[in-house]
Amino acid sequence: MIRMAVTLLYATFPSMQSARKAVSGLLGKNLIACANFFMSESHYKWKGRKVKEKECIAFIKTTPAKSILARAEILKMHPYKIPCVLGFPAKANKSYEKWVFSQCRVSKN
C-alpha cells in the first residue's frame, strides 16, 4: 500500500563537506531518517552575472511534522546567503514509512 506520509527535502550546498555537516546535525537531533548526496552543476544568475558552480544536492527523508524543524535547522546552519531548501510530500511503502518515523522517533499507528 502506498501512503502520503513522508516528506522529501531537497537542499543544495556548496560542497559535500557542508552537506554532510548539515545532515549530521539533523541526524543527531532525530529530525531526519536519512539523506542521499549527489554532485551537480548549477547555472544561475547572481548579481546580474551568469554563474556556473559545482554543488552538492541532499535529498533528505523525514516526517511531515519534523520537516518544519529540519528546514529551520538547515536554514540556520546553511552557508549560502539565499539557500535552496524545498519540501515535497512523498509516497512511501508502509515498511519504509514506518522506518522513517522510527528514525525520527515519532510514534505512528
Side-chain angles (χ1 to χ4, degrees):
M1 181 174 158
I2 300 293
R3 297 160 47 150
M4 294 282 288
V6 174
T7 297
L8 176 66
L9 297 177
Y10 169 101
T12 58
F13 293 88
S15 67
M16 180 69 78
Q17 180 182 7
S18 63
R20 285 180 178 153
K21 182 179 177 182
V23 165
S24 180
L26 296 169
L27 286 168
K29 293 180 179 187
N30 297 317
L31 294 177
I32 66 169
C34 66
N36 305 101
F37 303 108
F38 300 91
M39 294 307 295
S40 71
E41 182 177 275
S42 295
H43 296 245
Y44 56 95
K45 280 190 168 184
W46 184 253
K47 297 182 179 179
R49 295 178 49 190
K50 288 187 210 174
V51 178
K52 176 176 71 169
E53 292 186 4
K54 301 257 185 245
E55 287 188 304
C56 181
I57 298 168
F59 284 103
I60 303 164
K61 279 78 88 182
T62 188
T63 66
K66 294 278 181 127
S67 70
I68 296 163
L69 296 171
R71 287 173 66 126
E73 284 294 312
I74 293 168
L75 292 171
K76 190 176 4 175
M77 68 175 87
H78 206 286
Y80 285 163
K81 185 174 182 173
I82 304 174
C84 171
V85 184
L86 309 175
F88 304 93
K91 296 179 182 181
N93 56 300
K94 189 174 181 178
S95 59
Y96 189 77
E97 176 190 300
K98 186 176 177 180
W99 178 79
V100 168
F101 275 77
S102 74
Q103 295 305 300
C104 294
R105 291 199 171 99
V106 174
S107 61
K108 181 77 174 161
N109 296 332

